[in-house]
Amino acid sequence: MNEELVRRAALGPGMAVLDVGCGIGGTLAAIGADFARTGLNIGDDQLAVARRSVPDVNWVHGDAMAMPFDDGSFDRILCIEAAFHFPSRRGFFEEAARVLRPGGRLVMSDLLVGAGGPPDLVALVTSGLGPWPDPYGSEGPLEQIASGLDLEVEDVTALVAPSFAVLMGEEAVADPLICADGGDRGTAALGSLCAGGWLSIVYATGQLKTP
């Protein structure tokens, strides 16, 4: 997923790259030091790991809803398996458009649950993997709420779905409650949602609109 989304970002040497919801920094470490790299994360524990692992990145504690950066600070924004943790995707898109430079691009992955997705499985994901404030995408389709961005969305569920059984085992995907660890239960619950046809996994690429 990292490799595919980075490819879609079409990075060029010297670009200023921001990873929103950067976690422990794996994506920015993978793209290398040819870029001015900044990682933004709200969790201090993860940032501490990132700072130890990849010291030559500007690691910043902050909120995706109110990024601590000036307008037009970045050429590219990455957001990999993080946007579903944010209180508002619409708010994130507004902030992304604000901090992108003319010609800038956002590349992200996201998870969305369709109508009828079992709340008990959603609750297992939330309790095991962290906040999931709007799993059903109540704000509307991503393309419609991406203010300031021309957003193209691709459903890649069929490509990603087999990975859950590989990671967790088919028995856990069939019954996440057999997992002793909360994080494992959350991941297995994602697999259950996927197997039931309720979960959509999407890649989105957004170009900053010309004023």
Side-chain angles (χ1 to χ4, degrees):
M1 182 178 289
N2 266 338
E3 291 176 357
E4 175 59 20
L5 292 174
V6 168
R7 182 190 69 78
R8 292 171 183 236
L11 301 177
M15 282 185 174
V17 180
L18 171 66
D19 185 4
V20 179
C22 62
I24 61 174
T27 299
L28 290 179
I31 69 172
D34 291 338
F35 313 98
R37 298 171 293 173
T38 299
L40 180 73
N41 206 65
I42 203 165
D44 282 321
D45 291 346
Q46 290 184 325
L47 282 175
V49 175
R51 290 187 177 108
R52 291 194 300 269
S53 302
V54 197
D56 58 342
V57 170
N58 179 30
W59 302 111
V60 178
H61 178 271
D63 190 338
M65 300 292 96
M67 298 188 203
F69 308 116
D70 293 335
D71 295 358
S73 294
F74 299 98
D75 300 293
R76 296 289 187 269
I77 294 177
L78 304 172
C79 183
I80 298 177
E81 294 193 321
F84 47 86
H85 292 310
F86 303 157
S88 166
R89 292 176 176 88
R90 184 189 298 273
F92 166 62
F93 286 132
E94 290 173 353
E95 277 293 272
R98 180 184 68 80
V99 302
L100 278 172
R101 294 171 179 165
R105 180 180 297 185
L106 163 72
V107 176
M108 63 181 284
S109 59
D110 202 0
L111 305 178
L112 293 163
V113 179
D120 57 333
L121 291 177
V122 171
L124 286 178
V125 176
T126 301
S127 63
L129 300 179
W132 198 4
D134 187 19
Y136 298 97
S138 65
E139 294 177 306
L142 298 181
E143 301 95 320
Q144 295 180 15
I145 64 172
S147 177
L149 299 165
D150 287 317
L151 198 72
E152 295 183 359
V153 178
E154 179 183 356
D155 191 318
V156 295
T157 308
L159 298 176
V160 179
S163 64
F164 292 108
V166 172
L167 287 170
M168 306 306 306
E170 293 182 1
E171 291 183 356
V173 170
D175 181 11
L177 291 176
I178 69 172
C179 299
D181 177 78
D184 288 346
R185 283 195 299 273
T187 302
L190 285 176
S192 294
L193 287 166
C194 210
W198 295 297
L199 183 69
S200 293
I201 302 162
V202 301
Y203 293 165
T205 303
Q207 200 75 20
L208 185 65
K209 290 182 179 178
T210 303

